[in-house]
Amino acid sequence: MYGPPGDTAMSQMQPGPTGGQSTRTEANSGLAAQPDDGQAGATGPVRQVFPTRNYLPQHVRETSIGALVQCLADMTTINMQLKTAHWNVKGPEFYQLHELFADIVETFDEYIGMVAERASALGGRPPGTVHEVAGTTMVAPFPNDTVEGLALVVELADRMATLDANLAQQIATADQQGDPDTADLLNEVSREVSKSLWFLEAHLQRAPTRANR
């Protein structure tokens, strides 16, 4: 369904440990990336702010742009990882997982555009290149040697949980800063991310263990 991207796959540009822990890595380096004007936590670098007639004060816009840039980088990274899984999944669950990964990609594509447009509307410059995204994302790189269906689901669920947790921080930040429109958009994104995490984890869950009586 999806053709290979023109740039090198995101997973090739993000060395570092795998797993669900938040991590920001420098391309081709083991050192943590240091954005030019980044903020701590789940907030990305704000390198430019263009003048705008938006009613929000500049410091509020900068904070919201940082949250949106981080969300955009994390979602773009996971979207590339989902495409990699979609193209390479193997095993008896091939068809259903092939379709599931494609469905999540299509959903994420829409929200990636909405997040980028909100950042631009506030005067920001949303990152769109592989290099920029790789230097900003807090999502762990994707293993190149994993192709078995449920193993891919585990890897993606770990990263989706990272994105979900980051979004919770970003929503709180936008809300506390008095930017209800950004908070509302990120809430909408969060609902879709939580739903996608549910779809992935449902493939891994079994009957609950009964508590000892």
Side-chain angles (χ1 to χ4, degrees), residues 58-120:
Q58 180 163 330
H59 75 276
V60 174
R61 289 190 288 116
E62 288 178 353
T63 300
S64 291
I65 291 166
L68 291 161
V69 164
Q70 190 65 63
C71 177
L72 179 62
D74 292 346
M75 289 191 74
T76 301
T77 300
I78 291 184
N79 220 33
M80 289 296 299
Q81 294 175 352
L82 283 160
K83 288 180 180 180
T84 297
H86 171 76
W87 295 326
N88 293 291
V89 61
K90 309 295 182 188
E93 306 90 357
F94 164 78
Y95 185 76
Q96 64 177 9
L97 292 178
H98 181 74
E99 293 297 307
L100 173 62
F101 300 153
D103 289 345
I104 299 175
V105 165
E106 289 180 5
T107 299
F108 273 34
D109 278 340
E110 178 181 358
Y111 283 103
I112 285 170
M114 293 169 67
V115 170
E117 288 171 359
R118 177 61 182 168
S120 184

Side-chain angles (χ1 to χ4, degrees), residues 10-73:
M10 191 72 62
S11 60
Q12 300 293 328
M13 297 190 63
Q14 301 173 61
T18 58
Q21 299 300 316
S22 297
T23 181
R24 179 177 291 158
T25 54
E26 183 90 24
N28 301 320
S29 168
L31 300 176
Q34 299 296 326
D36 295 340
D37 297 295
Q39 300 180 35
T43 303
V46 181
R47 297 186 175 91
Q48 288 179 290
V49 178
F50 294 94
T52 173
R53 291 173 177 79
N54 188 284
Y55 70 92
L56 293 171
Q58 180 163 330
H59 75 276
V60 174
R61 289 190 288 116
E62 288 178 353
T63 300
S64 291
I65 291 166
L68 291 161
V69 164
Q70 190 65 63
C71 177
L72 179 62

